[in-house]
Amino acid sequence: MPATCKSPLETLILGSGPAGLTAAIYSARARCCPLVIHGRQPGGQLTTTTVIENYPGFVEGIDGGELMARMQQQAERFGTQFLEGEVSRVELTKTPFRIWLDEECYQTKTLIISTGASPKMLGLPNEWELYGRGVSVCATCDGFFFKEKDIVVVGGGDTAMEEASFLARFARRVTVVHRRDELRASPPLQKRAMDNKKIGFRWNSQVVAIHGDQQRGVHGVRLRDVHSGAEEDFSCDGLFIAIGHTPNTELFKGQLHMDQDGYLLTKNGCETNIPGVFAAGDVQDPNFRQAITAAGSGCMAAMLAERYLDTLGED
Ligand code: NAP
């Protein structure tokens, strides 16, 4: 455990996206000595996005990775400690709460869960086998490898439009495959993709198979028309899946209340069903899922945790 943290900790924060880091900034400034545990993707989903144009204060936009690096520096400036690792188990039925990081157990008086959400996959049998060999969920990470290639992007939301527009910088041709004939994406992102001559659309279609192997990578997909059921093979070198996210709440099943999709249920902003346990960001937000809303809820969670600590008094 970092030397400056007491056991039990005042506040432990799981996750280091905008929710977790904002919680850390507020919590550290309030002298709650937060410890942030981040997993395999420090900074969260924003580190895989391109320019963020709608985060207030950045007139020309800011790179997602840079925004998260700045938030981390700001949290560190006020004394936040960071640890990397996979949390394997949590025990929230007794106080202090217990969190196992690999084999080590951490105790904390308050817990802020900001574990975010992970990209959904199509559920096709070989998608993981071909992951990193033509199948991707992150244009910013992998787009560079598809110079002058043909790419399929699946999905009709903001992410799919962003990915398609970004990939069009490198690719010869980008084809968006969407299961309806109408996009879910916001009008400006729709327009940007539709105005791009390199981007085409296949409406009312689903990817039902990926053609490829580990040696050659992806070399095509099978498309099915959702109305007629007609299938056709479509040649491509890459498949970018952008069909939404699943909340990272597996650890908390049976302990915290969730909705049918696994999002943590909260009241008063960020309170879970267990006093002292708070949730912030995408892990409890199926609706807005923006960097700024995640940051806002991180702030709320930290303030609620601070007030809760006050009710406990001095040990
Ligand atoms: P989303 O809005 O949930 O869109 C997911 C898309 O994937 C939908 O078009 C959906 O089709 C399709 N889809 C879902 N499951 C599918 C399946 N099994 N097979 C084929 N298609 C499937 O997710 P998102 O685009 O990741 O966006 C998530 C949130 O982040 C949104 O609130 C969005 O506004 C926000 N976001 C904002 C920005 C930005 O402002 N710059 C950028 C990225 C994301 P249907 O439409 O038919 O349901």
Side-chain angles (χ1 to χ4, degrees):
M1 184 175 297
T4 52
C5 286
K6 293 185 295 180
S7 180
L9 297 160
E10 299 287 300
T11 299
L12 194 150
I13 299 170
L14 294 180
S16 61
L21 292 178
T22 304
I25 293 165
Y26 273 77
S27 177
R29 284 193 83 237
R31 299 182 178 275
C32 295
C33 189
L35 172 68
V36 175
I37 296 181
H38 59 79
R40 276 171 289 180
Q41 194 179 26
Q45 291 174 65
L46 278 191
T47 55
T48 64
T49 60
T50 49
V51 169
I52 299 166
E53 292 184 325
N54 50 12
Y55 199 88
F58 297 95
V59 182
E60 305 300 331
I62 181 165
D63 175 81
E66 189 186 342
L67 179 63
M68 298 324 298
R70 287 190 189 197
M71 283 193 196
Q72 174 156 351
Q73 286 158 15
Q74 198 175 353
E76 281 169 343
R77 184 181 148 216
F78 298 114
T80 305
Q81 304 279 336
F82 287 83
L83 272 184
E84 189 183 336
E86 283 292 307
V87 172
S88 52
R89 189 155 73 92
V90 299
E91 172 57 68
L92 307 179
T93 50
K94 288 191 294 243
T95 53
F97 308 119
R98 291 190 295 167
I99 314 295
W100 280 265
L101 183 64
D102 302 321
E103 292 305 304
E104 208 162 338
C105 178
Y106 292 81
Q107 297 190 34
T108 185
K109 295 180 196 169
T110 61
L111 177 67
I112 296 176
I113 299 168
S114 44
T115 45
S118 296
K120 278 188 195 160
M121 300 298 277
L122 291 168
L124 298 173
N126 57 350
E127 65 189 357
W128 285 112
E129 182 191 329
L130 294 171
Y131 193 81
R133 291 178 167 81
V135 174
S136 173
V137 294
C138 175
T140 329
C141 317
D142 302 328
F144 182 77
F145 303 113
F146 291 87
K147 278 185 189 152
E148 290 306 312
K149 304 279 190 195
D150 291 335
I151 299 175
V152 163
V153 173
V154 190
D158 281 341
T159 305
M161 294 311 107
E162 271 205 332
E163 301 267 284
S165 298
F166 182 77
L167 289 166
R169 294 186 201 172
F170 306 92
R172 183 170 58 194
R173 178 119 196 104
V174 177
T175 304
V176 175
V177 173
H178 183 38
R179 62 185 178 181
R180 294 188 293 140
D181 61 359
E182 192 183 17
L183 295 171
R184 178 180 294 277
S186 57
L189 293 184
Q190 282 194 30
K191 184 171 182 327
R192 190 168 61 163
M194 286 181 160
D195 288 350
N196 191 319
K197 290 192 170 49
K198 280 191 179 177
I199 302 177
F201 290 82
R202 293 292 297 250
W203 305 106
N204 302 310
S205 299
Q206 280 194 298
V207 173
V208 291
I210 311 169
H211 303 312
D213 53 56
Q214 291 209 327
Q215 282 70 44
R216 287 186 301 161
V218 169
H219 54 81
V221 292
R222 176 159 275 261
L223 300 181
R224 180 184 293 153
D225 184 297
V226 296
H227 297 309
S228 68
E231 294 192 2
E232 92 179 84
D233 286 326
F234 189 90
S235 173
C236 65
D237 309 288
L239 173 66
F240 283 73
I241 301 170
I243 60 169
H245 294 84
T246 307
N248 297 321
T249 52
E250 195 61 36
L251 275 175
F252 314 107
K253 278 194 176 142
Q255 300 189 67
L256 295 179
H257 295 167
M258 302 175 188
D259 71 8
Q260 73 279 10
D261 296 319
Y263 286 91
L264 295 181
L265 293 175
T266 51
K267 57 182 169 30
N268 194 19
C270 299
E271 291 171 358
T272 69
N273 53 300
I274 297 182
V277 178
F278 305 90
D282 286 13
V283 76
Q284 50 94 56
D285 171 19
N287 294 318
F288 302 107
R289 296 181 288 187
Q290 301 296 298
I292 187 67
T293 51
S297 69
C299 160
M300 290 193 285
M303 292 178 76
L304 289 168
E306 189 194 335
R307 286 180 201 162
Y308 175 84
L309 285 167
D310 278 346
T311 67
L312 299 181
E314 286 297 315
D315 288 343

